[in-house]
mmCIF file of all heavy atoms in Angstrom:
data_model
loop_
_atom_site.group_PDB
_atom_site.id
_atom_site.type_symbol
_atom_site.label_atom_id
_atom_site.label_comp_id
_atom_site.label_asym_id
_atom_site.label_seq_id
_atom_site.Cartn_x
_atom_site.Cartn_y
_atom_site.Cartn_z
ATOM 1 N N PHE A 579 -21.425 -67.227 83.950
ATOM 2 C CA PHE A 579 -21.418 -65.769 84.052
ATOM 3 C C PHE A 579 -21.337 -65.359 85.514
ATOM 4 O O PHE A 579 -21.858 -66.042 86.392
ATOM 5 C CB PHE A 579 -22.664 -65.173 83.385
ATOM 6 C CG PHE A 579 -22.707 -65.441 81.907
ATOM 7 C CD1 PHE A 579 -23.356 -66.565 81.414
ATOM 8 C CD2 PHE A 579 -22.050 -64.599 81.008
ATOM 9 C CE1 PHE A 579 -23.371 -66.849 80.053
ATOM 10 C CE2 PHE A 579 -22.059 -64.866 79.643
ATOM 11 C CZ PHE A 579 -22.714 -65.997 79.164
ATOM 12 N N CYS A 580 -20.665 -64.236 85.728
ATOM 13 C CA CYS A 580 -20.470 -63.741 87.092
ATOM 14 C C CYS A 580 -21.798 -63.307 87.704
ATOM 15 O O CYS A 580 -22.558 -62.568 87.081
ATOM 16 C CB CYS A 580 -19.492 -62.568 87.065
ATOM 17 S SG CYS A 580 -19.248 -61.824 88.677
ATOM 18 N N GLY A 581 -22.052 -63.753 88.942
ATOM 19 C CA GLY A 581 -23.286 -63.394 89.635
ATOM 20 C C GLY A 581 -23.302 -61.947 90.097
ATOM 21 O O GLY A 581 -24.346 -61.413 90.452
ATOM 22 N N ARG A 582 -22.124 -61.289 90.120
ATOM 23 C CA ARG A 582 -22.077 -59.899 90.568
ATOM 24 C C ARG A 582 -22.149 -58.918 89.402
ATOM 25 O O ARG A 582 -22.920 -57.978 89.421
ATOM 26 C CB ARG A 582 -20.799 -59.647 91.374
ATOM 27 C CG ARG A 582 -20.701 -58.216 91.899
ATOM 28 C CD ARG A 582 -19.799 -58.095 93.096
ATOM 29 N NE ARG A 582 -18.412 -58.433 92.804
ATOM 30 C CZ ARG A 582 -17.487 -58.673 93.732
ATOM 31 N NH1 ARG A 582 -17.815 -58.610 95.017
ATOM 32 N NH2 ARG A 582 -16.266 -58.967 93.395
ATOM 33 N N CYS A 583 -21.300 -59.130 88.348
ATOM 34 C CA CYS A 583 -21.254 -58.129 87.271
ATOM 35 C C CYS A 583 -21.724 -58.666 85.923
ATOM 36 O O CYS A 583 -21.827 -57.907 84.964
ATOM 37 C CB CYS A 583 -19.846 -57.538 87.158
ATOM 38 S SG CYS A 583 -18.665 -58.650 86.357
ATOM 39 N N GLY A 584 -22.015 -59.969 85.842
ATOM 40 C CA GLY A 584 -22.576 -60.506 84.607
ATOM 41 C C GLY A 584 -21.570 -60.836 83.522
ATOM 42 O O GLY A 584 -21.949 -61.298 82.450
ATOM 43 N N SER A 585 -20.268 -60.624 83.777
ATOM 44 C CA SER A 585 -19.255 -60.947 82.772
ATOM 45 C C SER A 585 -19.101 -62.464 82.638
ATOM 46 O O SER A 585 -19.391 -63.214 83.571
ATOM 47 C CB SER A 585 -17.893 -60.364 83.171
ATOM 48 O OG SER A 585 -17.998 -58.972 83.311
ATOM 49 N N THR A 587 -17.368 -65.846 82.916
ATOM 50 C CA THR A 587 -16.315 -66.319 83.822
ATOM 51 C C THR A 587 -15.336 -67.220 83.073
ATOM 52 O O THR A 587 -15.612 -67.662 81.962
ATOM 53 C CB THR A 587 -16.919 -67.143 84.981
ATOM 54 O OG1 THR A 587 -17.644 -68.234 84.428
ATOM 55 C CG2 THR A 587 -17.827 -66.299 85.861
ATOM 56 N N GLU A 597 -13.669 -67.952 87.768
ATOM 57 C CA GLU A 597 -13.150 -66.633 88.126
ATOM 58 C C GLU A 597 -13.721 -65.590 87.172
ATOM 59 O O GLU A 597 -13.789 -65.823 85.959
ATOM 60 C CB GLU A 597 -11.629 -66.695 87.967
ATOM 61 C CG GLU A 597 -10.884 -65.482 88.400
ATOM 62 C CD GLU A 597 -9.364 -65.693 88.254
ATOM 63 O OE1 GLU A 597 -8.957 -66.488 87.363
ATOM 64 O OE2 GLU A 597 -8.615 -65.073 89.019
ATOM 65 N N CYS A 598 -14.098 -64.436 87.711
ATOM 66 C CA CYS A 598 -14.586 -63.352 86.857
ATOM 67 C C CYS A 598 -13.417 -62.465 86.460
ATOM 68 O O CYS A 598 -12.768 -61.881 87.329
ATOM 69 C CB CYS A 598 -15.648 -62.530 87.581
ATOM 70 S SG CYS A 598 -16.168 -61.105 86.609
ATOM 71 N N PRO A 599 -13.122 -62.339 85.152
ATOM 72 C CA PRO A 599 -11.976 -61.528 84.724
ATOM 73 C C PRO A 599 -12.227 -60.031 84.923
ATOM 74 O O PRO A 599 -11.287 -59.250 84.969
ATOM 75 C CB PRO A 599 -11.831 -61.872 83.234
ATOM 76 C CG PRO A 599 -13.148 -62.386 82.814
ATOM 77 C CD PRO A 599 -13.817 -62.962 84.024
ATOM 78 N N GLN A 600 -13.470 -59.626 85.065
ATOM 79 C CA GLN A 600 -13.805 -58.205 85.232
ATOM 80 C C GLN A 600 -13.672 -57.747 86.687
ATOM 81 O O GLN A 600 -12.954 -56.804 86.987
ATOM 82 C CB GLN A 600 -15.245 -57.936 84.767
ATOM 83 C CG GLN A 600 -15.399 -57.803 83.268
ATOM 84 C CD GLN A 600 -14.564 -56.674 82.684
ATOM 85 O OE1 GLN A 600 -14.497 -55.588 83.241
ATOM 86 N NE2 GLN A 600 -13.883 -56.955 81.572
ATOM 87 N N CYS A 601 -14.386 -58.431 87.594
ATOM 88 C CA CYS A 601 -14.422 -57.956 88.985
ATOM 89 C C CYS A 601 -13.655 -58.875 89.937
ATOM 90 O O CYS A 601 -13.526 -58.562 91.114
ATOM 91 C CB CYS A 601 -15.867 -57.777 89.452
ATOM 92 S SG CYS A 601 -16.721 -59.311 89.810
ATOM 93 N N GLY A 602 -13.148 -59.997 89.441
ATOM 94 C CA GLY A 602 -12.307 -60.861 90.278
ATOM 95 C C GLY A 602 -13.058 -61.801 91.192
ATOM 96 O O GLY A 602 -12.438 -62.566 91.938
ATOM 97 N N LEU A 603 -14.389 -61.762 91.172
ATOM 98 C CA LEU A 603 -15.152 -62.638 92.065
ATOM 99 C C LEU A 603 -14.905 -64.110 91.714
ATOM 100 O O LEU A 603 -14.884 -64.487 90.547
ATOM 101 C CB LEU A 603 -16.652 -62.329 91.936
ATOM 102 C CG LEU A 603 -17.585 -63.028 92.933
ATOM 103 C CD1 LEU A 603 -17.306 -62.591 94.366
ATOM 104 C CD2 LEU A 603 -19.046 -62.740 92.596
ATOM 105 N N HIS A 605 -16.161 -68.028 92.053
ATOM 106 C CA HIS A 605 -17.374 -68.824 92.280
ATOM 107 C C HIS A 605 -16.946 -70.267 92.515
ATOM 108 O O HIS A 605 -16.445 -70.920 91.610
ATOM 109 C CB HIS A 605 -18.297 -68.758 91.073
ATOM 110 C CG HIS A 605 -18.644 -67.363 90.640
ATOM 111 N ND1 HIS A 605 -17.777 -66.569 89.906
ATOM 112 C CD2 HIS A 605 -19.751 -66.618 90.856
ATOM 113 C CE1 HIS A 605 -18.356 -65.407 89.683
ATOM 114 N NE2 HIS A 605 -19.545 -65.401 90.248
HETATM 115 ZN ZN1 LIG B 1223 -17.738 -60.126 87.919
#
Side-chain angles (χ1 to χ4, degrees):
F579 296 92
C580 177
R582 181 157 64 195
C583 76
S585 301
T587 58
E597 185 177 29
C598 175
Q600 280 301 317
C601 75
L603 188 64
H605 306 78

